[in-house]
Amino acid sequence: MALRALKFASLTAAASGIYLYGNRLLDPNDFGVVRVGRAIATTAVITYDYLTSLRSVPYGSEEYEFLKSQVHLRSAERLRELCCSNRGTFIKVGQHLGALDYLLPEEYTRTLKVLHSQAPQSTRQEIEQVIREDLGKEILLLVVKQIFPDFEFMWLVEEAKKNLPLELDFLHEGRNAEKVAHMLKNFDFLKVPRIYWELSTSRVLLMEFMEGGQVNDRAYMERNGINVNEISRNLGKLYSEMIFVNGFVHCDPHPGNVLVKKCPASGKAHIILLDHGLYQVLSESFRMDYCRLWQALIKADMKRVQKYSRRLGAGDLYPLFACMLTARSWESVNRGIDQSPVSASEDMEIRSNAAAYLPQITQLLNNVPRQMLLLLKTNDLLRGIESALHTRASASSFLNMSRCCIRAVSTYQRSKSHSLYRRAQISLTEALSLWQINLYELFLWLKGSQLGNWVIALLRRMQHFTY
């Protein structure tokens, strides 16, 4: 029986090989069994490498740390090759992993970051064929480099079924780009490429060409005189507005899709947002619960953290849920996530717990609403950017989130109120809350400025003379 199966498999492989050779347009990666087999083999090799390379070395010794780093690097390179070979969903996963600087070993993130800007590309012949079929204009061959590559499958199977048809429709991407550009037109630092509709179809999208450095490239910003803290602050403003106020969220902010560039004329630093195929539309009830949860997290209101985490499907795993959202330890969440930046010991604790709590994390992801999955992915990518820029957990980012949450909740409450007095009361409460945040932000600025230090020194001197 086994011999017969082996013969059948050999004949099938031979026939498939002949067919593939005769049909050059058919990629072997179109067969799921090829991709799955390659993934299983890579996983087995990585597992064997870890088990055998570290087995006979004392844990925690210098030799152990050196060998562990080497295994990390070899494994990361194998994963990168797997992503490049299998493409599609694997590229998306690789891009996501490459942005998790705060979570994964440096060997992994450094190796996988190349997928942000150097992912496998379609051949010129494949692109030309699509252009000829959809536009019939050879002149577009001169601007091939300005055409965005095909969208790939999403990293979550459940969401893929819903989003894949939209991701593969470039007209849908163009409409998303124009919608977000109009929605956030008040942010003069945001640039979204213009769409050339007359030369676009569902399979071809012609956009304005924009270039810049990747948003996580701190060295590029320093070379070009771009304020890293300003970029981090503006990126936080951008996504807080999308998530809390508008409920229309760009869900793939890996560094290859978010560029920065200093305008020579004005000297202002711009954030360029690319790849608009994947957006999450948040329902009103979900958005309000999410707003109130973040308000509770920022205020360290544990009762409300528990309440709104449960409403979002976390159940008894609400402490883990809070840690996943904030990328902070439970101790920091209880103390207040805006009270102190991430320390080296906390960073190590987060990395260790991510592996230790993998079963609970999986359970949590199965329980939360589908809208939450893409927001968690977006949060991970944004935290990764902040980690690379060394701007994580800055007070200003939480203040901007607070402003957006206050505005969003107040707008919702006004829309549900039929009393003119009640609406006025809500508006007054909103204005006072925003004023308090502005006052606190001014205090923080004074505290960190030269003027603030001078005022504090003067007050201390006056106090000394009083006594």
Side-chain angles (χ1 to χ4, degrees), residues 441-459:
E441 190 170 41
L442 176 62
F443 166 75
L444 291 177
W445 178 80
L446 285 172
K447 185 179 178 182
S449 68
Q450 191 66 35
L451 175 62
N453 292 332
W454 180 81
V455 170
I456 291 172
L458 180 62
L459 290 174

Side-chain angles (χ1 to χ4, degrees), residues 230-249:
E230 180 185 354
I231 291 295
S232 183
R233 186 166 55 249
N234 286 342
L235 189 64
K237 284 182 183 178
L238 187 65
Y239 271 87
S240 291
E241 193 79 15
M242 282 193 277
I243 293 170
F244 300 114
V245 178
N246 296 290
F248 185 68
V249 190

